[in-house]
Every structure is written in structure tokens, then in C-alpha cells.
């Protein structure tokens, strides 16, 4: 099988990761008035509001940074640059885990389907980019056969 020459492989591997990321916008993320009543979209917008108002900038920046890094990884995968996408996805995973486990203590507020889906999408993109990088580097067993014909 000629995996090296399949240019669409990174985009195909990234597509399920994108779906998991989009799913996190609709799942419950944390609770304000009740248990887990805030959807992921609202959790996504909260840091943007803090950044625009100039309040809690460092905290807002660190919790929102995985999102643009994930988008960058998705675009790089679609463009066929899985090695660079791996770096962006790994940083997104690192910052997402840092936010959920270290800065927030992974309290019960963040043990939710939305937060888990958000973190899983970052980790899946990292694995997809690493897999695409590896598969594109496998030498083709039929490369020599094609030259002989």
C-alpha cells in the first residue's frame, strides 16, 4: 500500500478529532445554579469576555489558549503538514491538561462530559498528527516495482 503518497490522510485522521471538539460545545461543562447546567459554548466564551475586559488575563489566556492551538493543528492537518500539526496539538493538549488538572485542580466542576470531550479532542488530534507523520514516512514497498515498469 502506498501510504506515503496519500495527501488526504492527515485530513481524514483529523476529521473525527474535529467532531469531538465540536461536540464539546454542546455538552454540559460546569454548574452555576445547578449541576452541570452550563454548555461548552458558554464555557468557551467566558475567557474571551475576561480578555476583552482585561480582567484575570493570565487565567483567561491559559484556559483559552488550547482552542487556537487546536484550530492551528486542524488547519495544518488539512494542509498536509502533520509534523507541525503534532507540535500544535501537543501544546494544545498540554495547556488543556494544565488548565483542568493543575490550575483548576480537576475539581468536580470540571469532571463533566464537556470538559472531558474538550480534552479528548486535543489528545486525539495529537495522536492523529503523530500517526499521520509516521505513516507518511513509511517507505513504500512498491516504489521499486513502479520504477521497473
Amino acid at each position: 500500500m502506498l501510504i506515503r503518497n496519500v495527501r488526504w490522510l492527515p485530513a481524514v485522521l483529523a476529521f473525527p478529532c474535529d467532531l469531538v471538539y465540536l461536540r464539546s460545545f454542546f455538552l454540559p461543562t460546569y454548574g452555576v445554579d445547578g449541576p452541570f447546567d452550563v454548555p461548552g459554548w458558554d464555557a468557551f466564551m467566558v475567557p474571551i469576555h475576561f480578555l476583552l475586559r482585561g480582567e484575570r488575563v493570565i487565567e483567561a489566556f491559559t484556559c483559552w489558549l488550547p482552542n487556537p492551538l487546536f484550530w492551528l493543528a486542524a488547519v495544518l492537518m488539512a494542509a498536509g503538514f502533520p509534523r507541525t500539526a503534532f507540535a500544535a496539538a501537543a501544546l494544545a493538549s498540554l495547556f488543556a491538561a494544565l488548565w483542568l488538572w493543575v490550575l483548576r485542580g480537576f475539581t468536580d466542576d470540571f469532571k463533566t462530559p464537556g470538559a472531558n470531550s474538550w480534552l479528548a479532542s486535543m489528545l486525539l488530534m495529537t495522536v492523529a498528527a503523530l500517526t499521520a507523520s509516521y505513516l507518511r514516512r513509511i517507505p513504500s514497498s512498491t516504489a521499486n516495482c513502479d520504477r521497473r515498469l
Side-chain angles (χ1 to χ4, degrees):
M1 179 159 54
L2 200 57
I3 295 176
R4 249 177 32 162
N5 294 329
V6 179
R7 297 200 181 274
W8 47 263
L9 179 68
V12 169
L13 290 175
F15 185 69
C17 307
D18 298 335
L19 292 178
V20 172
Y21 178 80
L22 288 175
R23 187 181 116 186
S24 71
F25 284 121
F26 303 102
L27 294 173
T29 305
Y30 63 91
V32 175
D33 295 329
F36 315 131
D37 60 349
V38 177
W41 175 253
D42 289 339
F44 174 80
M45 294 303 293
V46 167
I48 295 172
H49 292 295
F50 280 131
L51 288 170
L52 291 176
R53 287 187 290 192
E55 299 174 6
R56 299 167 61 178
V57 173
I58 301 221
E59 186 179 0
F61 182 74
T62 56
C63 77
W64 198 74
L65 184 61
N67 295 302
L69 286 171
F70 179 86
W71 303 333
L72 177 64
V75 168
L76 288 169
M77 287 286 279
F81 299 105
R83 285 189 215 160
T84 313
F86 171 72
L91 283 173
S93 298
L94 178 70
F95 280 111
L98 175 75
W99 171 251
L100 289 175
W101 285 320
V102 177
L103 295 177
R104 300 303 291 172
F106 208 63
T107 61
D108 288 338
D109 291 341
F110 287 95
K111 290 180 183 174
T112 62
N116 291 335
S117 180
W118 182 66
L119 180 59
S121 69
M122 311 286 171
L123 295 170
L124 285 172
M125 183 65 79
T126 304
V127 170
L130 184 63
T131 303
S133 299
Y134 176 74
L135 289 178
R136 291 184 69 179
R137 295 183 69 201
I138 293 176
S140 172
S141 61
T142 60
N144 293 332
C145 295
D146 292 341
R147 288 185 191 147
R148 285 187 230 150
L149 295 174

